[in-house]
């Protein structure tokens, strides 16, 4: 997306290790930051999101952190499992109601 | 709720033919989005509607592409004439609320192949 940069583009981790994916954005007015997971051949699905009034949100093994000063937010997956292998997308809002997606991170969890 | 419903799931057509993709958003959602996904370009926003009105179509590639939303429960994306470079997965998504409020729910997508 034009206003969202995502890194890395690929990531391989051993099962049980942690994975971190980072996105930076440019729109300082942004206050909602979602993450999507897309398994091969399937639709993107919202897995976690965060609003700007908090710095961190957790849901079991996944968490998202937000640094509004630096304009970046990160997805953290702990105790990775093979079923976590997928492409992960961050998204940033534009001036309207639409989201532009990052270029995606292909995560491979090696058993 | 059955979620966002797209049809067809797969479409193979010859270059020059007209293609129509269909989408039924989640009942109560007031925003609808059409995205195109390819390996080279990722997820591209084509157009979005709010309360059935097109708000931003700047992502529509060219005049061959058009989209309509005649009512709150139905939208179409039409390509006429189709070209091989239009081959991609086309996703429809819907959401409720204004900016920064809610994430999207995607449909299963239509895999379009133009030969």
């Amino acid at each position: 997306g034009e206003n969202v940069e995502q890194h890395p583009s690929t990531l391989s981790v051993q099962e049980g290790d942690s994975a971190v994916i980072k996105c930076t954005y440019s729109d300082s007015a942004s206050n909602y930051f979602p993450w999507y997971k897309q398994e091969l051949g399937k639709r993107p699905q919202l897995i976690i999101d965060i609003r700007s009034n908090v710095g961190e949100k957790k849901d079991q093994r996944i968490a998202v952190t937000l640094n509004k000063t630096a304009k970046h937010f990160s997805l953290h997956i702990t105790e990775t499992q093979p079923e976590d292998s997928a492409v992960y997308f961050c998204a940033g809002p534009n001036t309207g109601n639409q989201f532009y997606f990052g270029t995606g991170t292909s995560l491979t969890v090696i058993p | 709720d059955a979620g966002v419903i797209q049809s067809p799931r797969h479409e193979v057509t010859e270059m020059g033919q007209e293609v129509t993709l269909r989408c039924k958003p989640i009942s109560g959602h007031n925003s609808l989005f059409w995205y195109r996904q390819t390996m080279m370009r990722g997820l591209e926003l084509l157009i979005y509607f709010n309360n059935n009105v097109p708000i931003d179509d700047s992502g529509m590639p060219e005049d061959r592409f058009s989209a309509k939303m005649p009512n709150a429960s139905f939208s179409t994306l039409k390509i006429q004439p189709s070209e091989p470079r239009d081959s991609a997965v086309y996703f429809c998504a819907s959401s409720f609320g204004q900016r920064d409020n809610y994430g999207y729910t995607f449909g299963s997508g239509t895999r379009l192949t133009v030969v």
Side-chain angles (χ1 to χ4, degrees):
Chain A
E2 297 136 74
N3 62 347
V4 177
E5 292 188 4
Q6 184 173 345
H7 300 280
S9 57
T10 60
L11 180 60
S12 292
V13 298
Q14 292 289 331
E15 182 177 357
D17 288 350
S18 295
V20 181
I21 304 168
K22 182 177 176 179
C23 279
T24 57
Y25 61 96
S26 57
D27 183 357
S28 59
S30 302
N31 59 15
Y32 175 70
F33 306 90
W35 284 93
Y36 291 80
K37 175 183 180 182
Q38 186 178 25
E39 297 177 352
L40 187 63
K42 297 190 177 181
R43 75 189 80 185
Q45 291 191 293
L46 180 68
I47 56 171
I48 195 167
D49 54 18
I50 192 168
R51 301 182 192 280
S52 60
N53 57 340
V54 297
E56 182 177 11
K57 181 178 178 180
K58 289 183 178 180
D59 183 2
Q60 299 182 358
R61 295 186 298 105
I62 62 173
V64 55
T65 58
L66 172 64
N67 184 326
K68 286 211 76 177
T69 302
K71 295 184 184 177
H72 65 72
F73 57 111
S74 299
L75 177 69
H76 304 254
I77 307 174
T78 59
E79 301 173 29
T80 53
Q81 300 170 3
E83 53 264 38
D84 295 329
S85 296
V87 178
Y88 292 82
F89 295 94
C90 63
N94 200 12
T95 54
N97 194 27
Q98 71 277 34
F99 288 107
Y100 287 95
F101 285 84
T103 49
T105 297
S106 178
L107 173 65
T108 302
V109 179
I110 304 167
Chain B
D1 196 319
V4 176
I5 300 173
Q6 288 187 247
S7 65
R9 290 295 305 274
H10 303 274
E11 177 79 29
V12 180
T13 190
E14 291 185 347
M15 181 174 62
Q17 296 298 306
E18 177 180 295
V19 176
T20 299
L21 312 181
R22 298 174 175 78
C23 177
K24 176 178 168 51
I26 290 175
S27 177
H29 281 190
N30 61 0
S31 294
L32 182 141
F33 310 83
W34 283 100
Y35 282 85
R36 177 172 68 177
Q37 187 174 38
T38 61
M39 287 294 293
M40 291 297 295
R41 301 176 68 88
L43 272 165
E44 298 176 274
L45 176 66
L46 300 178
I47 185 171
Y48 93 92
F49 296 84
N50 192 46
N51 293 322
N52 312 338
V53 176
I55 302 300
D56 184 354
D57 65 354
S58 59
M60 296 287 261
E62 48 199 272
D63 293 344
R64 298 185 297 107
F65 285 69
S66 61
K68 294 182 179 179
M69 192 165 186
N71 56 63
S73 60
F74 183 66
S75 176
T76 59
L77 177 68
K78 185 178 293 186
I79 308 172
Q80 167 62 25
S82 58
E83 297 182 1
R85 58 193 170 119
D86 302 330
S87 297
V89 179
Y90 291 81
F91 286 104
C92 174
S94 70
S95 71
F96 176 75
Q98 297 304 309
R99 175 187 175 168
D100 303 332
N101 284 347
Y102 299 95
Y104 295 171
T105 299
F106 282 85
S108 297
T110 295
R111 182 174 295 277
L112 174 64
T113 303
V114 183
V115 298

